[in-house]
Amino acid sequence: MRLHPLAADGLIAAALTTVAVLLGTEAVAQGWPALDPLAWTLVALLTLPLVLRTRASVTVCLAVHACWAVYVTLGYWPVVGSFGPMLAVYTVASLRPTRTAAACAALLAGVWIYAGLRSDAGSMASVAGQAVGFPLVLWRFGYVARRTGELTLRLRAEQADRARREVAEERVRIARELHDVVAHHIAVINVQAGLARFVFRSDARTAREALDTIEGASGEALAELRRMLGLLRADGVQGADGAPAPGLDQLDEMVTRVRTGGVGVELRVTGTPRPLPPGVQLCVYRVVQEALTNVLKHAPGAAAAVELAYRAGEVTVSVADEGPVEGLDPVTPAERGGHGLIGMRERAKLYGGTIVVGPRSEGGFGVRLTLPTPVQAARRGDAVRE
């Protein structure tokens, strides 16, 4: 439970007042005059203003030192009134610049020596040592407290700034994820719409299948949009409807959908399939999705091959096409740049993998992604020999 600063200062002032009152009752036993009402009033003025020590530290420090000087001048026991000025000096050192704290520490030392002179102390050397030692110790403790507070505030500001940057980076990642998803489905819809229009009068069955594919692709695109927007609106939520992120078990479905768009895609899996982390699966899925989307856009009618290989300590996926079919114009220019390839490279980097993208020597275009698999996965059968 955290107290309000004013309440905490009130408790400290009450505690110091109690200590001063208890010491004041011992004044006669120590050879000093008994405290009269004026002395008790001065004691109260030495401790009670400390309630405002954090709000007006210098003013409180000057006020309590003035009261202490009056108290000493009237011949009362100086020790009773020393606690308030000492705490006031510490407070100034913990809140104000070094010069201000040094001036208040010097003020404490001056009043301390004055009290020693007024009390006819037997050893002024001891009084002088206390007048130097106590202010220095209080100034040092206050300085350390101030530096600690400044470092704490700076650390909190840096943490808040880092959190804002992480949120911004996550939103950018989600936006690129959304770009990949929507681009894939829009490419399928575009190809299927063109096919449906071409065979609308001559082949009603093919046109109907194309429309069914458009319906399915658009529905999946909307579901992905809802999932991504749900991630933007809530932390720790997989999607607006709780649907899990796609994984390797959905590669067949994606290949089938692309195949209906006019691209002859062949999926081949080598090695022994094994469980992989969801993030690795999503990375592989999105890279294959982006690569096949590029085939739809840049090489319509081309045949493509997707190979997923489980190897020792890693998983590799490659997507290769044979280039655009002669006589069919690509939807966009043949250069395969833009955010899609940037997104693939960033995904590979995120999971500590490598990706090679570019034209193939035998013709066409290829994408090859290699991701390391966790040690736990290797223990479950990642030592596949080829």
Side-chain angles (χ1 to χ4, degrees):
M1 183 178 63
R2 298 183 60 182
L3 290 175
H4 189 277
L6 188 61
D9 291 338
L11 291 175
I12 292 174
L16 285 182
T17 302
T18 302
V19 172
V21 169
L22 293 176
L23 278 177
T25 59
E26 298 293 326
V28 176
Q30 298 296 326
W32 292 87
L35 272 63
D36 55 19
L38 178 58
W40 289 120
T41 302
L42 290 174
V43 169
L45 293 176
L46 281 168
T47 56
L48 294 180
L50 295 173
V51 174
L52 303 176
R53 67 188 183 94
T54 56
R55 297 193 175 188
S57 57
V58 176
T59 302
V60 170
C61 183
L62 295 177
V64 297
H65 276 83
C67 291
W68 193 30
V70 173
Y71 178 88
V72 170
T73 302
L74 294 176
Y76 299 111
W77 189 20
V79 176
V80 176
S82 63
F83 300 104
M86 294 173 68
L87 179 58
V89 169
Y90 166 81
T91 303
V92 172
S94 65
L95 297 177
R96 303 303 295 270
T98 303
R99 289 184 179 181
T100 304
C104 291
L107 177 61
L108 174 63
V111 178
W112 199 288
I113 292 176
Y114 173 69
L117 293 174
R118 289 287 301 176
S119 62
D120 297 328
S123 177
M124 281 302 299
S126 175
V127 172
Q130 294 173 8
V132 174
F134 285 151
L136 284 178
V137 170
L138 293 170
W139 172 83
R140 180 60 182 174
F141 282 159
Y143 174 79
V144 171
R146 180 165 61 88
R147 290 293 299 163
T148 302
E150 292 174 353
L151 292 176
T152 301
L153 291 177
R154 187 181 306 173
L155 178 60
R156 289 177 180 174
E158 291 177 355
Q159 289 175 340
D161 183 64
R162 187 182 303 113
R164 286 192 295 269
R165 288 200 306 269
E166 290 176 353
V167 169
E169 291 172 359
E170 181 67 11
R171 288 178 180 270
V172 170
R173 186 193 67 78
I174 293 174
R176 288 176 177 168
E177 179 100 356
L178 194 58
H179 165 269
D180 296 344
V181 171
V182 174
H184 170 76
H185 290 294
I186 293 299
V188 172
I189 291 172
N190 181 72
V191 172
Q192 291 296 314
L195 176 62
R197 183 178 59 180
F198 182 75
V199 300
F200 185 75
R201 297 184 183 278
S202 60
D203 192 344
R205 180 179 177 182
T206 302
R208 187 164 48 251
E209 291 177 353
L211 292 175
D212 290 340
T213 302
I214 291 174
E215 180 183 11
S218 61
E220 292 181 14
L222 289 174
E224 291 282 1
L225 280 170
R226 286 193 294 268
R227 189 177 73 85
M228 293 298 173
L229 292 177
L231 286 172
L232 289 174
R233 292 193 181 103
D235 295 330
V237 179
Q238 286 186 318
D241 54 358
L248 298 183
D249 56 341
Q250 295 176 261
L251 281 179
D252 284 328
E253 181 181 345
M254 179 174 59
V255 167
T256 301
R257 183 172 58 247
V258 174
R259 192 178 294 132
T260 61
V263 176
V265 184
E266 178 186 357
L267 175 63
R268 184 169 67 254
V269 179
T270 61
T272 304
R274 57 186 179 274
L276 295 175
V280 174
Q281 295 193 46
L282 179 61
C283 180
V284 173
Y285 182 91
R286 293 306 188 201
V287 168
V288 173
Q289 186 182 57
E290 177 64 28
L292 292 179
T293 300
N294 286 336
V295 175
L296 283 169
K297 294 192 295 184
H298 303 290
V306 178
E307 181 178 357
L308 177 63
Y310 294 89
R311 294 191 173 92
E314 64 184 23
V315 61
T316 302
V317 64
S318 59
V319 181
D321 65 73
E322 300 176 354
V325 176
E326 193 173 339
L328 293 178
D329 295 329
V331 177
T332 57
E335 291 80 12
R336 304 189 184 190
H339 297 293
L341 298 185
I342 295 175
M344 286 195 286
R345 292 190 181 98
E346 289 186 352
R347 290 179 191 280
K349 183 179 178 181
L350 178 64
Y351 292 98
T354 58
I355 189 168
V356 180
V357 181
R360 303 164 62 216
S361 58
E362 59 270 31
F365 203 83
V367 175
R368 182 180 179 87
L369 170 70
T370 302
L371 295 177
T373 54
V375 176
Q376 292 82 357
R379 292 172 178 172
R380 291 196 299 266
D382 199 14
V384 179
R385 304 294 181 184
E386 296 187 359

